[in-house]
Amino acid sequence: MRYSGVIFDFDGTICDTGEGILKSAKYALDAFGYDAPDYTKLTCFIGPPLLITFQEEFGADPQTADALVKKYRERYTNEGLFESCLYEGIEELLQTLKNDNIKIAIASSKPQDYIETLLKRFEIRDYFDVVCGVSFTADCESKTSIIARCQKELGIAGNELIVVGDRKYDIEGAKANIIDSVGVLWGYGNRIEFVEAGASFIAEKLMDIESIALGFYEQTENVQGIFAGKVITVHHDDVTLSDGSSAKREIVEHSGGVAIVGVTEDNEVLLVKQFRYPYKETIYEIPAGKLEKDEEPLNAGIREFAEECGASAECFEPLGEVYPSPGYTSEIIRLYSATGLTFGEQHLDDDEYLDVIKMPINECVKKIMDGEIKDAKTIIGVLKIKELMNL
């Protein structure tokens, strides 16, 4: 189903505030003489109210726990708050959700003043329709209650909302309000925690949230291997669709590749002409190759350019990514342009036979438009270069 609103947790979901929280918790525990581990081991402080964590995890009585919270804030307000950063891609996700006409809110156990300060610091406050935190004098409010307040302020029915968070408290709070939930794996929780808490979805990537909100997401339930070869692996997956129904997907896994649009000083594109067995046809392509294990795409591009064309370049620039056939394969091709070319010897594989051709860009575009050049990465790369060079 499609959701009308998304309620985000803050710490560990929107913003990586862990360093400041953990160091401030360690500061407070040390000040009161607790035998606390290194601050990196104090992840129990991410998510629930501080007052509760000091009592449940370290056995503090209510009065001592209150004093620990005050000591924590002594450091956090002046230093820890600013040991924070947005997760990469968050602003893009928020803008995308806005473009989809989805309302966005925050429901967090963090004090409201802290949330507002960081939202303004990172210049993302305007994306949020509602922000619900806690007050300094009432910071033991449950996540269930905070989410309920947030829903009321949004004015959206529970079955049209989804709660997104990185800990079980977010999932449990959503369930208590009869709202669907997403556990995210880029924060401080894990898959087992989310499964046990009953998350409706588990997201690995930021942009999964848009897919879930739009009702497009497909949750992998089971993977059955079929074939493992030198270049590809094939598996058969059972997935759950957003409406709860099941489907099967046949997937070809590929490590990905790179392709280089080399341009000479005379505005010629370097192409290779070779026989492609699956099509039983000799075709034009820009030089390209497969990524080796753990290889950086740019390094692979430099290597393939030298091997196939005997060429090197003074400047390589990224041209984006291509999904060659998203219906069944995971392959991603990274495109680069190459300029300032010099030429040496080719170093082809034993089973590789090809010619290198320098073709004027406009002639190359004509062959694309006439259907003579059919390779997808070549069409995209050449047309991008033509646009960028204003030819």
Side-chain angles (χ1 to χ4, degrees):
M1 66 165 291
R2 185 185 180 107
Y3 297 93
S4 301
V6 177
I7 298 176
F8 287 96
D9 172 50
F10 187 76
D11 295 330
T13 303
I14 293 288
C15 191
D16 185 358
T17 54
E19 181 180 351
I21 291 172
L22 304 186
K23 285 183 176 179
S24 299
K26 173 69 171 171
Y27 172 82
L29 290 165
D30 287 348
F32 278 73
Y34 283 85
D35 184 18
D38 183 77
Y39 80 91
T40 58
K41 309 291 187 186
L42 296 175
T43 54
C44 56
F45 284 93
I46 306 289
L50 294 169
L51 197 64
I52 292 174
T53 304
F54 281 123
Q55 293 178 71
E56 291 185 349
E57 299 293 333
F58 291 90
D61 59 63
Q63 184 176 358
T64 304
D66 186 63
L68 281 163
V69 171
K70 288 183 172 64
K71 179 59 70 171
Y72 166 96
R73 288 187 180 142
E74 181 178 287
R75 181 189 186 279
Y76 190 78
T77 300
N78 298 308
E79 187 174 353
L81 179 64
F82 305 105
E83 295 169 327
S84 305
C85 63
L86 290 181
Y87 285 105
E88 185 177 354
I90 279 291
E91 186 165 4
E92 178 187 357
L93 171 61
L94 297 175
Q95 183 61 65
T96 300
L97 292 173
K98 279 296 181 187
N99 293 343
D100 294 328
N101 295 316
I102 293 171
K103 288 193 173 182
I104 310 173
I106 288 174
S108 172
S109 296
K110 197 179 196 69
Q112 183 93 14
D113 287 353
Y114 287 158
I115 299 172
E116 296 286 357
T117 296
L118 289 176
L119 291 178
K120 291 172 184 174
R121 178 183 178 85
F122 296 122
E123 299 181 349
I124 60 170
R125 178 62 180 87
D126 290 345
Y127 289 109
F128 296 94
D129 300 283
V130 172
V131 175
C132 289
V134 299
S135 69
F136 289 118
T137 57
D139 58 356
C140 265
E141 185 179 5
S142 70
K143 202 57 179 281
T144 298
S145 173
I146 300 168
I147 291 171
R149 280 198 290 117
C150 195
Q151 178 192 351
K152 184 176 180 180
E153 289 192 36
L154 279 171
I156 300 175
N159 63 357
E160 296 180 19
L161 284 172
I162 194 155
V163 170
V164 179
D166 73 311
R167 295 303 308 274
K168 65 179 182 179
Y169 313 102
D170 307 302
I171 310 306
E172 292 167 349
K175 286 182 68 176
N177 284 285
I178 318 178
I179 297 174
D180 287 344
S181 59
V182 184
V184 303
L185 295 177
W186 57 81
Y188 290 86
N190 58 66
R191 190 178 295 274
I192 294 174
E193 177 178 349
F194 298 139
V195 170
E196 291 179 345
S200 310
F201 304 93
I202 298 175
E204 296 184 2
K205 301 183 298 183
L206 277 170
M207 295 311 292
D208 288 345
I209 304 305
E210 184 200 17
S211 300
I212 293 168
L214 294 177
F216 299 158
Y217 192 65
E218 299 180 2
Q219 184 86 49
T220 304
E221 304 296 346
N222 181 56
V223 177
Q224 180 182 349
I226 297 174
F227 169 80
K230 179 181 177 182
V231 177
I232 63 169
T233 60
V234 182
H235 51 89
H236 193 189
D237 296 4
D238 297 315
V239 302
T240 299
L241 307 182
S242 60
D243 65 357
S245 61
S246 299
K248 293 184 181 294
R249 299 287 183 254
E250 295 175 352
I251 306 299
V252 176
E253 290 281 353
H254 188 285
S255 61
V258 292
I260 308 296
V261 186
V263 182
T264 70
E265 292 181 352
D266 297 323
N267 291 332
E268 299 166 314
V269 176
L270 290 193
L271 298 175
V272 296
K273 193 173 184 178
Q274 62 184 322
F275 185 78
R276 285 303 196 180
Y277 183 80
Y279 296 102
K280 304 293 193 296
E281 187 177 332
T282 297
I283 65 174
Y284 291 106
E285 299 176 57
I286 54 176
K290 183 173 71 74
L291 284 172
E292 302 298 338
K293 182 177 173 59
D294 299 324
E295 188 175 23
E296 288 294 322
L298 178 57
N299 292 338
I302 294 171
R303 172 177 53 77
E304 289 291 344
F305 199 48
E307 290 176 358
E308 291 195 2
C309 298
S312 60
E314 293 178 1
C315 181
F316 287 89
E317 294 290 342
L319 291 176
E321 298 179 343
V322 175
Y323 292 1
S325 191
Y328 68 87
T329 181
S330 65
E331 182 181 10
I332 300 173
I333 299 174
R334 284 82 174 180
L335 295 175
Y336 294 89
S337 66
T339 53
L341 307 185
T342 55
F343 295 90
E345 293 185 4
Q346 292 174 291
H347 299 281
L348 300 177
D349 295 336
D350 291 340
D351 62 350
E352 195 172 25
Y353 302 91
L354 55 83
D355 288 336
V356 179
I357 297 167
K358 297 177 182 178
M359 184 179 294
I361 290 178
N362 289 331
E363 180 184 341
C364 192
V365 171
K366 185 176 187 305
K367 289 184 181 295
I368 289 171
M369 301 308 293
D370 290 344
E372 188 174 347
I373 292 178
K374 304 171 186 177
D375 175 60
K377 64 182 180 293
T378 302
I379 293 170
I380 294 168
V382 170
L383 294 181
K384 276 196 168 188
I385 278 292
K386 181 179 187 299
E387 181 71 19
L388 290 170
M389 296 179 68
N390 294 314
L391 294 175

